[in-house]
C-alpha cells in the first residue's frame, strides 16, 4: 500500500489498533485532552504519523458532544420475536428523544458484528444494542474495545455486554410441566439451532422438567426455526410413538402439525403439541396452538432502559425483563392411554399460566 493509499484509507480504528488503545483514547489525543498518559499519547501520535491519518470532523466530535443516537444491530431474520423487540425498542428510544441507526445483518457471525459495530461507532452512536440469537455474535465483541457501552438482548451471559433477557428456561419448564400434568410421559422436543442462545435455554428447560418428573428424555431433533424443519421432524415423530411434542417455536410447530395430519394422526387426540412465542397466528392454527407467550414489548422497553442506565441516566444493572406465560389452547389434551380420573383433573377452563423470574 502506498503512502497516499494509507492516508486515504486509514481510520480512527486503524490508529487505535496500531497504538494498542481504544478509539476514544485516539479521540482524546486528537482533541488535545489532558487525561491521557504521556507514553500512551506518544504511541497514538506515532501511529497517526505512520498511517498518515487525517481525522474527520465526526471523529473530532466523538468526545466533545453527545449525539443522542443509539446503534442497533439485528439479524436479517424475519422472525416475530426479534422483529417485535426491535420495534418496541425503537418506540421507547423515540420517547426518550434518541434516534436509532439500525444495522441489519444476514449473517450475525463475529466478524460481521464487529464490522457493523465499527460502522455504527463511526456514526457517533452513544451505545450499541444487539438483538442477535447467536452466542458467537455476542462473544465476538469480547476483547474488542468499541469505546461505547454495549447492551445485548441475550438469554445467556456471554461477552462483555450488559444484558437483558426473558426467561426461556422457565417458559420451557412450564410447557413440559403442563404436558406431564395431562399424563404424557414420552415428550419429544424439536429444538432450535444449536448456536441459538434462546434455543439452548429452551432445550435445557425441557431436559430439566423431564428430569424433575423422573422421565427419560430422547435426543432432541434440531430444527432451524422454519415450518419446513418442523415438518421434516414431524414425519419422524409420527412414526416413533411419542404422545406429546414441545417445539421451540410456533413456526416449527405449524410444520409438525402438518406432518402429523398427513400421517393420519390428530392433534391433540394422538399427539399433543406445545409451541413457543405465541405469534399472532398461533390461536388460528387448526387446532389453536398451546404455546409459551413472551413479552416482546417489555423486552424492547427494558433494553432501552438499560441503555439509559449505562449512559448514566438511570441506575445500571443487568436485568430479566420478566417471565413467560403459558397460554393453553386446544392443541394439548391427555393421551389416549391416560386414565379417566387423570383427565378429570385437568381444568377445562384453564386459559394461561405464568412463570416468574426469581
Amino acid at each position: 500500500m502506498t503512502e497516499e493509499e494509507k492516508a486515504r484509507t486509514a481510520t480512527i480504528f486503524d490508529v487505535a489498533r496500531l497504538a494498542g488503545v481504544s478509539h476514544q483514547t485516539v479521540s482524546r489525543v486528537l482533541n488535545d485532552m489532558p487525561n491521557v498518559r504521556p507514553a500512551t499519547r506518544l504511541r497514538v501520535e506515532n501511529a497517526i504519523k505512520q498511517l498518515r491519518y487525517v481525522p474527520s470532523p465526526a471523529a473530532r466530535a466523538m468526545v466533545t458532544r453527545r449525539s443522542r443516537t443509539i446503534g442497533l444491530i439485528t439479524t436479517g431474520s424475519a422472525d416475530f420475536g426479534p422483529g417485535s423487540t426491535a420495534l418496541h425498542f425503537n418506540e421507547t428510544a423515540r420517547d426518550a428523544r434518541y434516534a436509532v441507526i439500525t444495522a441489519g445483518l444476514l449473517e450475525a457471525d463475529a466478524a460481521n458484528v464487529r464490522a457493523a459495530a465499527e460502522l455504527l461507532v463511526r456514526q457517533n452512536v452513544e451505545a450499541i444494542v444487539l438483538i442477535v440469537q447467536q452466542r458467537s455474535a455476542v462473544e465476538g465483541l469480547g476483547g474488542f474495545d468499541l469505546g461505547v457501552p454495549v447492551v445485548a438482548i441475550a438469554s445467556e451471559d456471554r461477552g462483555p455486554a450488559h444484558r437483558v433477557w426473558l426467561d426461556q428456561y422457565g417458559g420451557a419448564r412450564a410447557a413440559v410441566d403442563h404436558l406431564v400434568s395431562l399424563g404424557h410421559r414420552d415428550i419429544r422436543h424439536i429444538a432450535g439451532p444449536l448456536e441459538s442462545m434462546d434455543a439452548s435455554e429452551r432445550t435445557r428447560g425441557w431436559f430439566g422438567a423431564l428430569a424433575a418428573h423422573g422421565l427419560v428424555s430422547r435426543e432432541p431433533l434440531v430444527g432451524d426455526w422454519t415450518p419446513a424443519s418442523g415438518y421434516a421432524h414431524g414425519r419422524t415423530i409420527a412414526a416413533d410413538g411419542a404422545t406429546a411434542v414441545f417445539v421451540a417455536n410456533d413456526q416449527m410447530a405449524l410444520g409438525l402439525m402438518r406432518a402429523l395430519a398427513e400421517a393420519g394422526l390428530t392433534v391433540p387426540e394422538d399427539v399433543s403439541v406445545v409451541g413457543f412465542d405465541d405469534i399472532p397466528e398461533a390461536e388460528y392454527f387448526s387446532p389453536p396452538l398451546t404455546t409459551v407467550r413472551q413479552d416482546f414489548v417489555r423486552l424492547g422497553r427494558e433494553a432501552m432502559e438499560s441503555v439509559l442506565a449505562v449512559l448514566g441516566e438511570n441506575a445500571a444493572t443487568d436485568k430479566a425483563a420478566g417471565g413467560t406465560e403459558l397460554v393453553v389452547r386446544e392443541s394439548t389434551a391427555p393421551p389416549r392411554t391416560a386414565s379417566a380420573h387423570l383427565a378429570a383433573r385437568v381444568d377445562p377452563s384453564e386459559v394461561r399460566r405464568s412463570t416468574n423470574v426469581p
Side-chain angles (χ1 to χ4, degrees), residues 20-356:
V21 299
S22 71
H23 83 271
Q24 277 193 324
T25 298
V26 176
S27 294
R28 294 187 187 103
V29 173
L30 291 171
N31 287 279
D32 198 27
M33 299 181 73
N35 55 337
V36 181
R37 290 183 298 179
T40 301
R41 184 181 298 274
L42 181 61
R43 289 205 315 274
V44 173
E45 290 172 345
N46 288 337
I48 290 171
K49 291 177 183 177
Q50 183 175 336
L51 295 173
R52 298 185 62 192
Y53 170 65
V54 178
S56 67
R60 289 190 178 277
M62 279 184 178
V63 297
T64 59
R65 62 180 174 85
R66 293 191 61 178
S67 65
R68 298 199 71 83
T69 302
I70 307 300
L72 175 64
I73 299 176
T74 67
T75 67
S77 169
D79 289 344
F80 173 69
S84 297
T85 303
L87 173 65
H88 293 289
F89 171 79
N90 273 273
E91 286 187 347
T92 307
R94 185 182 64 243
D95 291 342
R97 297 183 295 109
Y98 279 81
V100 177
I101 302 175
T102 301
L105 304 177
L106 288 175
E107 298 293 334
D109 56 25
N112 284 334
V113 169
R114 286 187 178 187
E118 280 196 4
L119 178 63
L120 290 170
V121 170
R122 289 190 186 112
Q123 297 181 65
N124 201 25
V125 299
E126 295 188 32
I128 291 175
V129 174
L130 294 175
I131 304 180
V132 292
Q133 292 199 17
Q134 298 87 339
R135 59 178 59 85
S136 61
V138 181
E139 293 172 340
L141 295 182
F144 189 64
D145 187 2
L146 291 170
V148 298
V150 176
V151 173
I153 296 176
S155 52
E156 295 178 356
D157 188 5
R158 302 276 175 173
H162 298 271
R163 188 168 67 102
V164 180
W165 68 96
L166 291 174
D167 186 19
Q168 310 295 320
Y169 176 84
R173 286 288 300 255
V176 178
D177 286 344
H178 169 65
L179 292 170
V180 172
S181 75
L182 293 173
H184 294 280
R185 296 296 177 263
D186 187 0
I187 303 171
R188 298 301 304 267
H189 179 44
I190 300 179
L194 296 176
E195 175 66 5
S196 166
M197 294 177 284
D198 286 353
S200 294
E201 283 296 286
R202 293 169 198 177
T203 297
R204 190 170 71 89
W206 169 72
F207 271 123
L210 291 181
H213 291 287
L215 300 178
V216 176
S217 60
R218 293 199 252 175
E219 190 68 22
L221 301 168
V222 179
D224 62 6
W225 299 130
T226 66
S229 66
Y231 176 82
H233 289 312
R235 298 180 69 177
T236 299
I237 291 172
D240 73 4
T243 65
V245 187
F246 167 52
V247 191
N249 79 335
D250 293 345
Q251 287 92 339
M252 291 193 297
L254 176 61
L256 165 68
M257 292 165 71
R258 170 67 179 271
L260 294 175
E262 289 183 358
L265 299 174
T266 59
V267 176
E269 288 80 7
D270 295 307
V271 182
S272 285
V273 177
V274 179
F276 210 104
D277 285 339
D278 194 28
I279 62 175
E281 298 84 0
E283 65 179 312
Y284 299 101
F285 286 9
S286 182
L289 182 66
T290 295
T291 186
V292 178
R293 177 178 297 164
Q294 301 194 78
D295 191 346
F296 298 116
V297 176
R298 184 174 176 185
L299 184 61
R301 290 173 178 169
E302 292 287 1
M304 186 60 202
E305 290 297 322
S306 290
V307 169
L308 296 176
V310 298
L311 292 177
E313 297 187 22
N314 289 309
T317 181
D318 289 359
K319 64 192 305 183
T324 48
E325 185 176 53
L326 178 66
V327 180
V328 179
R329 298 193 178 103
E330 297 169 30
S331 67
T332 53
R336 290 187 187 275
T337 56
S339 64
H341 77 271
L342 178 59
R345 290 169 52 195
V346 179
D347 182 357
S349 66
E350 178 183 23
V351 176
R352 64 187 59 169
R353 236 176 253 161
S354 298
T355 65
N356 296 313

